[in-house]
Amino acid sequence: MNILKLNLVEEKIVIIRGIPVILDSDVAELYEVETKRINEAVKNNPEKFPNGYLLDLSVEEYKSLRSNFSTLENQGRGKHVKYLPKAFTEKGLYMLATILKSSKATQTTIDIVETFAKLREFSRAVSQLAKTEDEPTQKSLMQKSGEIIADILGDDLEITDTETTWEINFALMKFRRTVRQKKK
């Protein structure tokens, strides 16, 4: 399974109306197409994007995004927009893959959806961990959570010398992973 690395997708996921979404310009960047191609696909196939698949941002939501995420302006986006952006939910990304026919678009959608699924699975494991007092169950959930994080982050970490350690500290738990490898 080729999951996009969390940092590539995570920086593009924003919460609008309480829903995790990816803006049309970010989807276009991931798919390596122009934003107008994404929006043309939506415009030409409105039946594939019912309520809950796509959000049209209001002026207030867009202004809020711009003020909260200065990266929109730093990346050359957001200063002078002709149209308000659209935001794709996970379901909308599924539909987009049925329209865009390039292999890059299809693989990118699969990668994004897999990352969303892994994040949901991780969220469920952490939620169960907070409710569980049974020590063997807690240990199992922590191991499962660690495996999910490792899967999302991948094993292509740059390895210096013979050992690399990364650590993620959450309110309920701390994950530590050490990779040992001999230089070739």
Side-chain angles (χ1 to χ4, degrees):
M1 185 182 310
N2 183 21
I3 297 175
L4 282 178
K5 301 304 170 252
L6 179 61
N7 60 345
L8 296 176
V9 175
E10 183 182 37
E11 68 188 28
K12 299 190 183 323
I13 296 174
V14 294
I15 306 297
I16 298 176
R17 301 176 203 162
I19 303 167
V21 295
I22 300 180
L23 299 178
D24 55 3
S25 57
D26 289 328
V27 172
E29 183 182 326
L30 290 169
Y31 288 170
E32 298 177 1
V33 298
E34 295 177 6
T35 304
K36 69 180 182 179
R37 297 293 170 232
I38 299 293
N39 290 320
E40 284 172 0
V42 171
K43 183 179 177 183
N44 294 333
N45 299 278
E47 72 284 355
K48 291 194 176 192
F49 297 95
N51 197 15
Y53 283 60
L54 188 68
L55 304 178
D56 288 311
L57 270 60
S58 68
V59 173
E60 294 79 25
E61 288 169 330
Y62 180 64
K63 284 180 181 177
S64 177
L65 274 179
R66 282 189 57 203
S67 66
N68 289 336
F69 299 102
S70 62
T71 57
L72 288 176
E73 289 185 23
N74 293 341
Q75 295 172 355
R77 300 177 303 172
K79 277 192 173 183
H80 306 288
V81 294
K82 194 172 181 179
Y83 304 103
L84 289 172
K86 295 182 182 335
F88 288 84
T89 65
E90 184 180 349
K91 293 185 254 180
L93 291 168
Y94 277 119
M95 278 300 160
L96 193 57
T98 68
I99 298 167
L100 300 175
K101 299 300 180 191
S102 77
S103 59
K104 174 66 178 172
T106 301
Q107 186 57 52
T108 299
T109 299
I110 292 168
D111 294 345
I112 291 169
V113 169
E114 289 294 334
T115 302
F116 269 105
K118 286 291 180 185
L119 290 172
R120 266 195 322 278
E121 187 179 349
F122 175 74
S123 178
R124 280 192 300 269
V126 170
S127 178
Q128 285 178 322
L129 184 62
K131 298 173 187 174
T132 302
E133 294 184 21
D134 178 50
E135 194 171 319
T137 303
Q138 285 179 336
K139 189 173 184 174
S140 172
L141 287 169
M142 287 183 69
Q143 181 173 348
K144 180 179 180 180
S145 299
E147 289 168 1
I148 293 168
I149 290 292
D151 194 19
I152 291 170
L153 295 176
D155 286 331
D156 60 348
L157 299 172
E158 183 177 326
I159 297 175
T160 57
D161 220 14
T162 59
E163 183 173 296
T164 300
T165 301
W166 53 267
E167 188 172 300
I168 300 174
N169 193 353
F170 295 97
L172 296 173
M173 68 189 98
K174 180 172 28 175
F175 295 99
R176 178 182 226 161
R177 183 165 190 228
T178 302
V179 178
R180 290 183 180 89
Q181 187 173 23
K182 294 178 182 176
K183 283 187 172 182
K184 292 182 179 182

